[in-house]
Amino acid sequence: MKESNRKGCKIMLLGERLKETRQKKGVSQSTVAEHLNISRQSISKWENNSSYPDLDNLVRLSEYYEVTVDDLLKENQGLKKKIEENNEKIKDSQKKLAYIQANGERDEGLVLLMLNLLSCLIAPLGLFITPIILKRNKATNTFYKLVFVAGVISLLVNLFGLYAHLGNLFHWGGPSSVEYIGNQ
């Protein structure tokens, strides 16, 4: 059996490593049991994590499988890497939280994001609102990057809205009339 951590990563137990190593070697439980002068049931219990080999048998197994004892006992390297990455993320989040708590600031990320989206609907007024939103956006906000991207999009939408409004006002790009002079 494999144990799962919260994120669904599989942790390989000793029994599974013993079974995997035996299968890579291409031998049966009976063959290993004969080599160690023990019962096949003992090998089965070790591989099912019902019991564990003593140190002498572990050394003999490593010699028979041609791997180190450390290889049999070591943890999953991929899991170690994920744990280290998660610890880094946790430290970063804790730093942000400590900064926010120390400065008495609130996380305005969601509010700023919603204001950015609303400012798209209120073109050309959004040209004045969006820079204020972007100035208030801080790296400690939850949606810091998303607020920035939404702000840039809001500015572009508002500029286009302003252009369209001015175009209507000054008849830019409207239909042109063509008069034909000739035979009537």
Side-chain angles (χ1 to χ4, degrees):
M1 284 186 170
K2 292 188 180 193
E3 290 182 5
S4 295
N5 67 2
R6 290 183 194 169
K7 296 264 182 180
C9 294
K10 301 295 182 191
I11 301 171
M12 188 177 282
L13 300 173
L14 174 62
E16 291 172 329
R17 279 193 296 274
L18 289 173
K19 182 177 183 179
E20 183 180 281
T21 308
R22 176 183 56 78
Q23 289 173 339
K24 281 183 183 176
K25 177 96 170 151
V27 294
S28 66
Q29 288 181 344
S30 300
T31 306
V32 175
E34 285 176 26
H35 178 76
L36 298 177
N37 294 322
I38 58 173
S39 68
R40 187 203 56 80
Q41 288 79 8
S42 294
I43 301 293
S44 177
K45 286 180 183 178
W46 296 345
E47 290 181 358
N48 291 321
N49 293 305
S50 299
S51 66
Y52 301 100
D54 61 16
L55 188 57
D56 290 335
N57 282 326
L58 198 56
V59 170
R60 292 171 61 200
L61 279 170
S62 74
E63 289 170 354
Y64 184 69
Y65 293 151
E66 298 173 352
V67 295
T68 64
V69 174
D70 189 45
D71 287 337
L72 292 175
L73 294 176
K74 74 177 176 183
E75 294 179 25
N76 187 332
Q77 293 301 318
L79 179 62
K80 273 187 175 181
K81 186 176 179 182
K82 276 196 179 263
I83 289 171
E84 289 172 6
E85 289 171 0
N86 285 340
N87 286 340
E88 292 288 325
K89 288 179 185 176
I90 289 169
K91 285 179 186 177
D92 289 342
S93 296
Q94 286 173 338
K95 284 179 185 177
K96 284 182 180 180
L97 181 63
Y99 176 79
I100 291 169
Q101 289 174 341
N103 294 323
E105 294 181 20
R106 288 188 165 164
D107 185 358
E108 299 175 324
L110 187 59
V111 173
L112 294 175
L113 185 60
M114 297 304 287
L115 286 173
N116 258 330
L117 297 175
L118 285 174
S119 71
C120 285
L121 301 174
I122 314 171
L125 188 59
L127 288 173
F128 302 104
I129 296 171
T130 303
I132 295 169
I133 292 170
L134 290 175
K135 187 174 180 181
R136 258 192 100 84
N137 191 24
K138 295 184 176 128
T140 56
N141 288 337
T142 309
F143 300 110
Y144 172 72
K145 290 179 182 176
L146 193 57
V147 169
F148 181 77
V149 170
V152 170
I153 292 170
S154 176
L155 281 174
L156 292 173
V157 166
N158 280 284
L159 284 172
F160 181 76
L162 180 64
Y163 172 76
H165 183 67
L166 291 175
N168 283 337
L169 189 66
F170 294 113
H171 304 292
W172 294 339
S176 59
S177 62
V178 176
E179 292 184 31
Y180 291 100
I181 303 175
N183 299 343
Q184 287 191 2

